[in-house]
Amino acid sequence: MYSKQEESFLRKQFWTSFGQYLAPIPSAGGSKINWINYKTGIRFINFKMDATKDQAYIGIEVSHNSIATQALYFNHFKTLRKDLENAVAEKWLWEEAVELSVKNISRISKTLNNVNIYRQTDWPQIISFLKTRIISLDHFWNDHKDIFEMIG
């Protein structure tokens, strides 16, 4: 077991390494991008990545104060499901209503189990998992962002 301080250090080291690894890669639109804190440009749609002692996670999270508006965004994703799954080259988990500690969200995600961010030997596997998917999401978003901008 690691102390909280050691865990914090390892997490910071991992995300710094991940960010440096992806920094030279431009977005699908050709611009420089902060892959770790990917900005979709739409306040209620976020691309999230995380890694823990059990798994790595990447997802699209839709959250809005209005359940109807959140459902509208999620339904637009559902109409583009085939395009999204072609972009990421796999099927993802689609959850229309996920209860988090402080809010409800809609989520489309993929998880890699049995990896540990605190075990540096797992880092190449986690980086590979996250890298290919965030780049694929960026390509999907570059092609379809306009549709979501029209909703807002």
Side-chain angles (χ1 to χ4, degrees):
M1 295 299 291
Y2 295 104
S3 70
K4 291 228 184 255
Q5 191 175 24
E6 290 169 321
E7 287 181 358
S8 177
F9 174 77
L10 285 169
R11 288 183 69 75
K12 183 177 180 183
Q13 192 177 20
F14 171 81
W15 290 110
T16 299
S17 298
F18 182 70
Q20 290 171 341
Y21 182 71
L22 288 180
I25 302 170
S27 72
S31 61
K32 185 169 173 57
I33 188 166
N34 181 345
W35 292 102
I36 295 172
N37 295 310
Y38 191 99
K39 303 290 184 206
T40 65
I42 298 178
R43 187 173 155 203
F44 311 109
I45 300 175
N46 298 294
F47 293 174
K48 300 277 185 167
M49 293 182 284
D50 196 13
T52 66
K53 64 181 175 70
D54 301 313
Q55 64 186 12
Y57 162 88
I58 186 166
I60 302 167
E61 296 183 356
V62 181
S63 63
H64 197 282
N65 292 339
S66 162
I67 293 172
T69 303
Q70 181 173 313
L72 182 63
Y73 280 109
F74 189 75
N75 285 333
H76 272 17
F77 273 107
K78 288 195 314 194
T79 65
L80 298 168
R81 185 176 189 152
K82 185 175 181 180
D83 290 346
L84 177 61
E85 290 180 346
N86 284 339
V88 295
E90 63 191 356
K91 296 201 180 300
W92 283 27
L93 178 62
W94 292 69
E95 301 170 284
E96 192 157 357
V98 178
E99 189 175 324
L100 298 180
S101 58
V102 293
K103 63 182 173 181
N104 289 319
I105 65 167
S106 298
R107 177 168 60 195
I108 306 161
S109 63
K110 188 70 174 177
T111 303
L112 173 65
N113 293 310
N114 302 316
V115 291
N116 184 341
I117 192 172
Y118 306 119
R119 193 170 45 230
Q120 289 181 316
T121 56
D122 285 356
W123 288 9
Q125 188 178 4
I126 296 169
I127 288 171
S128 177
F129 171 79
L130 295 174
K131 174 191 171 196
T132 57
R133 286 159 182 85
I134 193 65
I135 291 171
S136 296
L137 281 179
D138 176 58
H139 283 276
F140 167 81
W141 194 242
N142 187 61
D143 292 342
H144 298 289
K145 178 181 179 181
D146 295 347
I147 294 168
F148 293 91
E149 288 176 331
M150 289 188 286
I151 297 172

